[in-house]
């Protein structure tokens, strides 16, 4: 950590050590700053740093929210292993959804940190940190924009071309560091239709953003 202007400033690795969240989770929270109110960064020697006192206050307020915009519970210690019931509570879904995820995993669904052996099956445990990282990875398709993953690629309604472009604009804003092909693949997973169709929409969305 560094001190500047009488304040303590932390980079992302410092914040990970300080908070117990892994770096990928912190990065995802930063990328969603327009939604979650994440404090702005300050460049120190070319590296992003955050005012630690302001960041701590923001994190505390985030943890006190019953649910974020995707319905996810962000409270609690990040590294405590949770049973399927606890996982469902964090994600705001039915307990049966976790069983469904185990049988037919959605994109990026984390491997269990621990498996409890039972007579006929195993009970899979995952940490809040794992669940938050999965939720915050756009490829998961989980949340207010992508909708909760259903465990099936069928039954998705085709998006009209104008709607596809709008969704592509939102995705480009949400994921500015992703390549066009990556964004197209994510949108295809979220909403159906081919990756090539989404590539055309992403190209048009980038043109609009540059106008």
């Amino acid at each position: 950590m560094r001190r500047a202007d009488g304040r303590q400033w932390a980079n992302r690795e410092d914040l990970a050590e300080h908070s117990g969240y892994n770096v990928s989770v912190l990065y995802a929270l930063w990328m969603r700053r327009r939604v979650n109110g994440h404090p702005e960064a300050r460049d120190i020697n070319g590296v992003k740093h955050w005012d630690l006192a302001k960041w701590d206050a923001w994190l505390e307020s985030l943890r006190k929210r019953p649910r974020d915009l995707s319905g996810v519970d962000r409270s609690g210690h990040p590294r405590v292993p949770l049973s399927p019931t606890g996982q469902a509570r964090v994600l705001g879904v039915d307990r049966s959804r976790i069983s469904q995820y185990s049988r037919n995993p959605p994109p990026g669904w984390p491997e269990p940190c621990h498996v409890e052996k039972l007579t006929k099956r195993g009970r899979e445990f995952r940490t809040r940190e794992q669940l938050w990282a999965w939720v915050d990875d756009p490829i998961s398709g989980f949340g207010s924009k992508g909708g909760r993953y259903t465990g099936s690629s069928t039954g998705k309604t085709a998006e009209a071309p104008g709607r596809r472009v709008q969704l592509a604009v939102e995705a480009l804003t949400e994921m500015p560091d992703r390549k066009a092909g990556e964004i197209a693949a994510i949108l295809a997973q979220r909403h159906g239709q081919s990756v090539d169709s989404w590539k055309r929409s992403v190209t048009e969305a980038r043109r609009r953003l540059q106008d």
Side-chain angles (χ1 to χ4, degrees):
M1 297 195 189
R2 294 175 176 269
R3 293 198 68 84
D5 303 329
R7 310 285 292 181
Q8 194 168 18
W9 297 82
N11 62 26
R12 192 169 284 120
E13 287 73 20
D14 295 329
L15 292 177
E17 182 177 355
H18 174 71
S19 67
Y21 292 82
N22 67 32
V23 171
S24 63
V25 170
L26 296 179
Y27 180 76
L29 289 171
W30 167 248
M31 294 303 293
R32 293 174 180 266
R33 58 192 178 277
R34 293 182 181 87
V35 173
N36 62 33
H38 193 293
E40 290 300 318
R42 171 180 177 176
D43 279 358
I44 300 179
N45 295 332
V47 177
K48 283 184 172 61
H49 284 71
W50 289 266
D51 183 317
L52 187 60
K54 289 183 179 179
W55 191 88
D56 277 341
W58 166 78
L59 182 62
E60 182 66 20
S61 69
L62 185 70
R63 285 172 167 169
K64 288 180 178 178
R65 299 174 195 175
R67 297 277 171 180
D68 66 13
L69 293 180
S70 61
V72 176
D73 184 351
R74 300 280 179 170
S75 63
H77 194 283
R79 294 179 182 171
V80 173
L82 300 175
S83 69
T85 299
Q87 295 169 51
R89 188 176 298 115
V90 168
L91 296 179
V93 299
D94 292 336
R95 166 65 176 78
S96 61
R97 184 67 60 84
I98 303 303
S99 298
Q100 181 183 2
Y101 286 174
S102 295
R103 293 191 301 269
N104 186 16
W109 181 243
E111 292 295 324
C113 64
H114 168 67
V115 178
E116 180 183 356
K117 292 184 179 180
L118 303 176
T119 303
K120 295 184 179 180
R121 57 184 174 80
R123 180 183 291 136
E124 296 180 348
F125 287 75
R126 292 173 180 83
T127 66
R128 290 184 178 89
E129 182 176 63
Q130 287 180 293
L131 298 173
W132 294 334
W134 176 71
V135 166
D136 291 328
D137 187 343
I139 200 172
S140 73
F142 188 98
S144 57
K145 288 185 179 179
R148 282 167 172 69
Y149 180 80
T150 64
S152 172
S153 60
T154 62
K156 292 182 178 179
T157 303
E159 299 286 353
R163 175 59 176 160
R164 286 205 306 269
V165 173
Q166 180 57 39
L167 290 168
V169 168
E170 294 176 359
L172 286 167
T173 303
E174 177 186 355
M175 301 173 280
D177 297 330
R178 296 269 187 163
K179 295 179 180 179
E182 294 175 330
I183 291 178
I186 290 168
L187 290 169
Q189 175 61 50
R190 287 181 176 181
H191 304 286
Q193 300 180 275
S194 70
V195 174
D196 286 340
S197 294
W198 283 107
K199 282 181 179 178
R200 292 191 289 271
S201 298
V202 171
T203 299
E204 174 62 19
R206 276 189 166 166
R207 186 191 66 77
R208 294 188 184 185
L209 288 172
Q210 292 169 356
D211 288 345

